[in-house]
């Protein structure tokens, strides 16, 4: 295969081939409820010895839900990446992270850009060339958030601000990941791919907001799919 996606239900339930719009061969190895420890124990079963161009990992959310210590989850993830790097030295590894968000006062904290840069650099040192972290709280505006990314190949950090919209739809993180990775596969640079993802999700939420239907059904993707064909209005990203 050209690309293998490995992870939990966020990967398993996503129609990757359809929404990425690529002719590349994509294998979906997502398993609902999966944790980093299970992935580490069964890694060979997911990769089954084949040559693969890219390996995309999205794992760890269930560790948080099952109260696995963060240190253990990071150790597991580091071992997974090291194993892939050793056994598949020609494969490009992409580690995707979706941070949990909670509005309770006890969960609110201020995180500086320098702290985030240190974290993503440490993650990249485990093996992946590109690290993308979503839902990073904005220290200047309480309810806004940021997407922060690091590209080890050029040692560059990027940030894109995401304006707060007073509603919630499940699945937007999945859709963002698909648009971003699809853009990278099309040959776009990392900041443009990040920007495309943010613009698409923002438009999708705005297009869905106000319609009388259960939010649990997610955003109305069919109303904004044409946005993917339009030129990106640049300027939303910055280097940090």
């Amino acid at each position: 295969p050209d690309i293998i996606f490995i992870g939990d239900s966020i990967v398993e339930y996503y129609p990757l081939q359809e929404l990425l719009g690529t002719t590349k061969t994509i294998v979906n190895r997502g398993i609902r409820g999966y944790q980093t420890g299970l992935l580490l124990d069964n890694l060979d079963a997911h990769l089954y010895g084949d040559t693969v161009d890219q390996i995309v990992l999205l794992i760890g959310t269930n560790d948080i839900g099952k109260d696995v210590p963060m240190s253990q989850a990071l150790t597991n993830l580091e071992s997974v990446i090291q194993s892939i790097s050793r056994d598949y030295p020609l494969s490009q590894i992409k580690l995707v992270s979706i941070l949990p968000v909670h509005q309770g006062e006890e969960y609110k904290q201020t995180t500086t850009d320098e702290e985030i840069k240190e974290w993503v650099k440490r993650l990249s040192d485990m093996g992946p060339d590109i690290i993308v972290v979503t839902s990073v709280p904005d220290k200047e505006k309480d309810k806004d958030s940021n997407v922060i990314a690091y590209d080890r190949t050029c040692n560059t950090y990027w940030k894109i601000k995401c304006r707060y919209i007073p509603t919630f739809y499940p699945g937007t993180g999945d859709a963002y990941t698909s648009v971003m990775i699809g853009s990278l596969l099309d040959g776009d640079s990392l900041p443009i791919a990040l920007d495309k993802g943010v613009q698409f999700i923002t438009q999708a939420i705005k297009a869905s907001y106000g319609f009388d239907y259960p939010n649990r059904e997610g955003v109305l993707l069919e109303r904004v799919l044409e946005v993917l064909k339009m030129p990106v209005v640049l300027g939303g990203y910055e280097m940090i």
Side-chain angles (χ1 to χ4, degrees):
D2 295 306
I3 310 170
I4 295 180
F5 282 77
I6 302 174
D8 49 34
S9 59
I10 298 175
V11 174
E12 180 184 11
Y13 295 133
Y14 216 76
L16 297 166
Q17 194 78 50
E18 175 185 351
L19 292 181
L20 289 179
T22 178
T23 58
K24 295 180 181 291
T25 302
I26 296 177
V27 174
N28 187 326
R29 302 293 288 174
I31 300 176
R32 60 186 178 277
Y34 226 40
Q35 300 173 34
T36 57
L38 291 171
L39 175 57
L40 179 60
D41 292 341
N42 300 279
L43 186 59
D44 289 343
H46 291 280
L47 297 173
Y48 42 79
D50 284 353
T51 301
V52 56
D53 292 336
Q54 298 183 50
I55 299 170
V56 181
L57 298 172
L58 199 165
I59 191 77
T61 301
N62 291 311
D63 291 68
I64 298 172
K66 298 296 184 181
D67 294 327
V68 176
M70 182 179 296
S71 59
Q72 184 61 55
L74 288 174
T75 297
N76 293 340
L77 185 57
E78 184 173 6
S79 297
V80 166
I81 294 172
Q82 289 175 345
S83 295
I84 295 174
S85 298
R86 181 187 65 245
D87 298 336
Y88 299 83
L90 299 181
S91 298
Q92 186 179 49
I93 304 171
K94 289 184 169 65
L95 179 62
V96 182
S97 172
I98 297 179
L99 297 182
V101 176
H102 196 291
Q103 296 301 322
E105 289 295 328
E106 67 272 26
Y107 291 95
K108 291 184 177 180
Q109 59 179 339
T110 301
T111 305
T112 66
D113 288 348
E114 294 305 314
E115 288 176 313
I116 295 293
K117 288 168 67 174
E118 179 184 352
W119 295 344
V120 296
K121 178 64 167 59
R122 288 172 57 190
L123 287 171
S124 181
D125 288 342
M126 296 180 185
D129 289 332
I130 294 174
I131 300 291
V132 179
V133 182
T134 64
S135 302
V136 178
D138 190 289
K139 64 180 183 295
E140 297 176 355
K141 293 188 177 180
D142 183 43
K143 292 186 177 181
D144 288 357
S145 62
N146 298 291
V147 175
I148 292 181
Y150 174 63
D151 186 346
R152 185 172 58 179
T153 61
C154 55
N155 193 32
T156 304
Y157 300 85
W158 300 98
K159 179 169 75 172
I160 298 181
K161 290 183 177 292
C162 306
R163 298 295 300 274
Y164 172 72
I165 302 175
T167 187
F168 169 79
Y169 296 95
T172 51
D174 306 352
Y176 174 82
T177 301
S178 293
V179 172
M180 179 195 68
I181 293 178
S183 180
L184 289 173
L185 292 175
D186 281 342
D188 290 331
S189 66
L190 178 59
I192 290 180
L194 298 170
D195 212 357
K196 279 185 176 179
V198 169
Q199 290 188 33
F200 177 78
I201 293 303
T202 300
Q203 292 299 319
I205 293 175
K206 288 181 177 180
S208 306
Y209 190 51
F211 282 91
D212 186 16
Y213 75 99
N215 283 36
R216 66 176 181 272
E217 295 180 5
V219 292
L220 303 174
L221 287 174
E222 65 277 6
R223 290 184 171 272
V224 291
L225 287 177
E226 292 298 317
V227 172
L228 296 175
K229 300 178 182 179
M230 299 172 59
V232 177
V233 179
L234 302 179
Y237 57 82
E238 60 179 305
M239 285 193 295
I240 58 174

